Amino acid sequence: MSKNIEKHEHYKEELHLLQVELVKLQRHIISRGDKILIILEGRDSAGKDGSIKRITEHLSPRETRVVALPKPSDREQTEWYFQRYIAHLPAAAEFVLFNRSWYNRAGVERVMGFCTEKQLEEFFQEVGVLEGMLMRSGIHLRKFYLDISRKEQKARLAAREDDPLKQWKTSPIDLQAVKHWKSYSKARNEMFARSHSTLCPWTIVRADDKKMARLQIIKDTLLRLEYDGKDTELVSPDRNIIFDYDPSYVENGSIAS
């Protein structure tokens, strides 16, 4: 058996075991009426869709929701910025994943000029307050940022263009992703600095290896949430791949620059 085949088989086996743990978690969530909100952010092609697919693959569709909002309508552009996200927050027994979130304002909207400096500043003044309210109301909120290198992003975006099954993933914004790499890095760094907190930290995932990133996101989620019958050894994450944000990581290269 080649090393690649052996590695793939090991990945499938570990993923299966972790998905069993996710089912245990969901059973606990439903029985306790817990409310779970997972936010996944990252550059275009960072692997958010694939990670969400593996998390939700064997969960109950009735209590599991994936939220991936389109660009705001004309009406929504006149609303309070966070307003359209509020309706999608979890109720009791629900497991909700945001594929991108209100942090669009701190990322793509900022870089592409879709918001003003005043709107951006209002966002940073309000986001910590909002997340604190959500946490204190009983919502378990986790924020993951999938971090990839510039080289890897170029390769993935190029692969999308050549794959007829991934044409739906390409957009005019994607085409600007590599061009504005440094601007996105600057925006991301300020987003971390101004929205990371002890109560609601940012968790960084090194995601150049998609499969490894998926496993680590699931492990970290399982580790931090309470449920009966947890396999603590299985859900122990690799802290070289997944770790909470610290300002020093921007300077020492732990986060892609």
Side-chain angles (χ1 to χ4, degrees):
M1 183 182 293
S2 71
K3 287 186 177 180
N4 285 340
I5 295 176
E6 186 177 351
K7 182 178 179 182
H8 180 66
E9 290 301 316
H10 179 73
Y11 162 76
K12 289 201 304 182
E13 179 181 346
E14 188 168 16
L15 177 62
H16 173 75
L17 293 173
L18 289 170
Q19 288 174 329
V20 171
E21 292 294 304
L22 283 168
V23 172
K24 291 182 191 177
L25 170 65
Q26 185 164 56
R27 187 183 301 122
H28 183 87
I29 291 169
I30 293 171
S31 67
R32 294 280 300 272
D34 288 344
K35 296 176 282 186
I36 311 298
L37 176 59
I38 306 294
I39 288 176
L40 282 93
E41 290 286 346
R43 298 180 192 266
D44 294 317
S45 75
K48 298 178 292 295
D49 292 331
S51 297
I52 290 171
K53 181 179 179 180
R54 273 65 183 189
I55 292 170
T56 61
E57 193 168 11
H58 298 289
L59 297 183
S60 166
R62 181 173 296 177
E63 287 86 13
T64 307
R65 289 189 289 114
V66 177
V67 179
L69 299 184
K71 69 178 183 179
S73 66
D74 291 343
R75 183 182 188 280
E76 287 171 333
Q77 288 181 23
T78 70
E79 298 173 348
W80 176 49
Y81 176 71
F82 295 96
Q83 188 168 331
R84 72 189 190 124
Y85 293 99
I86 300 302
H88 300 282
L89 293 174
E94 285 190 330
F95 190 111
V96 177
L97 299 100
F98 278 11
N99 185 347
R100 293 195 183 276
S101 66
W102 42 73
Y103 284 101
N104 271 347
R105 174 131 296 176
V108 64
E109 290 189 22
R110 176 183 190 174
V111 173
M112 301 306 296
F114 297 154
C115 69
T116 66
E117 285 296 322
K118 180 181 178 182
Q119 289 173 326
L120 178 65
E121 187 58 33
E122 287 176 351
F123 169 81
F124 280 126
Q125 292 295 325
E126 295 174 351
V127 67
V129 177
L130 173 67
E131 291 176 355
M133 291 171 63
L134 297 182
M135 296 283 280
R136 288 187 290 273
S137 76
I139 292 177
H140 299 274
L141 172 59
R142 300 290 306 138
K143 301 187 298 190
F144 293 99
Y145 185 90
L146 280 66
D147 190 49
I148 58 173
S149 65
R150 190 171 191 173
K151 179 181 178 181
E152 182 64 19
Q153 185 186 54
K154 283 183 178 180
R156 291 185 187 181
L157 291 175
R160 282 184 182 180
E161 294 180 6
D162 297 332
D163 188 341
L165 296 178
K166 294 183 178 180
Q167 292 300 304
W168 62 272
K169 287 190 172 187
T170 59
S171 72
I173 297 296
D174 292 341
L175 301 177
Q176 301 295 319
V178 176
K179 178 182 177 182
H180 293 285
W181 176 272
K182 290 185 178 179
S183 296
Y184 274 110
S185 294
K186 180 180 178 181
R188 175 207 61 195
N189 293 345
E190 183 173 357
M191 179 185 78
F192 288 157
R194 300 189 66 180
S195 60
H196 173 81
S197 67
T198 303
L199 179 64
C200 193
W202 274 107
T203 299
I204 315 300
V205 189
R206 288 179 170 168
D208 275 8
D209 184 328
K210 287 183 179 181
K211 291 180 179 179
M212 185 61 68
R214 294 166 188 165
L215 297 178
Q216 299 307 314
I217 291 169
I218 297 173
K219 288 183 178 187
D220 191 81
T221 299
L222 292 167
L223 181 69
R224 300 194 194 222
L225 293 173
E226 293 300 321
Y227 63 96
D228 296 330
K230 181 186 297 188
D231 185 336
T232 53
E233 184 175 351
L234 175 65
V235 305
S236 179
D238 184 342
R239 292 306 180 194
N240 291 311
I241 299 174
I242 188 167
F243 46 87
D244 283 355
Y245 166 79
D246 184 274
S248 64
Y249 296 152
V250 175
E251 302 299 328
N252 66 19
S254 294
I255 299 173
S257 58

